[in-house]
Amino acid sequence: MKVLAAILAVALILALIVGGMYVGRRNEMVRLNEQVKSNWAQVDVVLQRRSDLIPNLVETVKGFAAQEQTVFHDIAQARAALLGAHSPEEKIAANRQLDGALGRLLLVVENYPQLKSNENFLRLQDELAGTENRIAIERKRYNDSVQAYNTYIALFPNNIFAKWAGFQRNNAYFEASPASREAPKVQFPAPNR
């Protein structure tokens, strides 16, 4: 009888230890997952700000560069895709599309020197530059929180508890687009002689 009581006591102690570990690790997984969601919400806010600034920027540029309709159409499509995206993965893909369209818009601006001195355009350009900086910061925070979450649930014994609790790896990272890895080409006009 004493042996059976000892075995039950050891089993109970082991169950309490494993249960305590499970509860502690599950709570940390919940906290990390909520941090990912919170950081994503912040990214979403700055992406929305950017999306709200774009129509004003496009309208200002349109006044100077009416023949550049393809660029304006691409920006409108990219913005619509961003506004219509629901999941982080869809928003990340739409954001890449918008990055490319804005890059083409900035090339158009280079071809219209009188636009670069327009007060409205300069103010919008400053707002957009500030927003782009905020987006970069929030993307990094989001990616860092996704990495922390993924690392935590992959470590042993957390991976076992994560499986039991239904936590899965999050692969929705922001990554640089292949076009951004290319160095920009800078050309100066030939000097007048």
Side-chain angles (χ1 to χ4, degrees):
M1 192 70 167
K2 288 184 179 184
V3 173
L4 182 60
I7 291 173
L8 284 175
V10 168
L12 180 63
I13 290 171
L14 282 175
L16 287 173
I17 290 171
V18 170
M21 286 175 58
Y22 173 77
V23 168
R25 303 283 165 82
R26 186 180 188 293
N27 287 343
E28 183 63 12
M29 288 177 222
V30 167
R31 188 191 69 73
L32 289 170
N33 193 34
E34 289 303 313
Q35 184 67 48
V36 168
K37 290 176 185 175
S38 172
N39 287 349
W40 173 254
Q42 196 57 35
V43 168
D44 215 15
V45 166
V46 292
L47 290 177
Q48 183 63 49
R49 175 179 162 75
R50 175 207 232 182
S51 183
D52 292 344
L53 284 172
I54 289 170
N56 295 328
L57 183 66
V58 167
E59 288 304 315
T60 302
V61 174
K62 269 185 182 179
F64 286 89
Q67 65 274 23
E68 305 290 349
Q69 292 303 315
T70 306
V71 174
F72 303 135
H73 182 288
D74 291 348
I75 289 173
Q77 279 188 315
R79 183 174 180 267
L82 182 62
L83 294 174
H86 299 290
S87 70
E89 292 85 358
E90 290 173 351
K91 288 188 180 194
I92 289 169
N95 191 56
R96 280 192 199 116
Q97 183 182 358
L98 189 57
D99 286 344
L102 285 175
R104 289 188 299 280
L105 177 67
L106 294 177
L107 287 175
V108 167
V109 169
E110 291 299 315
N111 293 326
Y112 295 90
Q114 71 275 23
L115 174 61
K116 289 189 273 184
S117 64
N118 178 281
E119 184 180 321
N120 288 337
F121 177 75
L122 292 174
R123 191 171 52 248
L124 285 168
Q125 193 176 27
D126 285 345
E127 284 286 325
L128 194 57
T131 300
E132 292 298 321
N133 288 336
R134 288 183 195 132
I135 289 171
I137 290 166
E138 297 305 333
R139 282 178 179 170
K140 177 162 180 7
R141 284 184 186 150
Y142 170 75
N143 280 349
D144 289 348
S145 66
V146 170
Q147 179 193 13
Y149 167 79
N150 285 341
T151 301
Y152 189 82
I153 68 167
L155 295 173
F156 181 81
N158 302 348
N159 58 347
I160 295 168
F161 297 138
K163 237 180 218 174
W164 290 353
F167 287 91
Q168 296 178 354
R169 181 175 173 79
N170 183 341
N171 290 316
Y173 283 99
F174 274 101
E175 296 175 357
S177 67
S180 69
R181 291 184 177 99
E182 295 177 22
K185 294 180 175 108
V186 178
Q187 290 183 326
F188 293 102
N192 293 336
R193 295 189 186 228

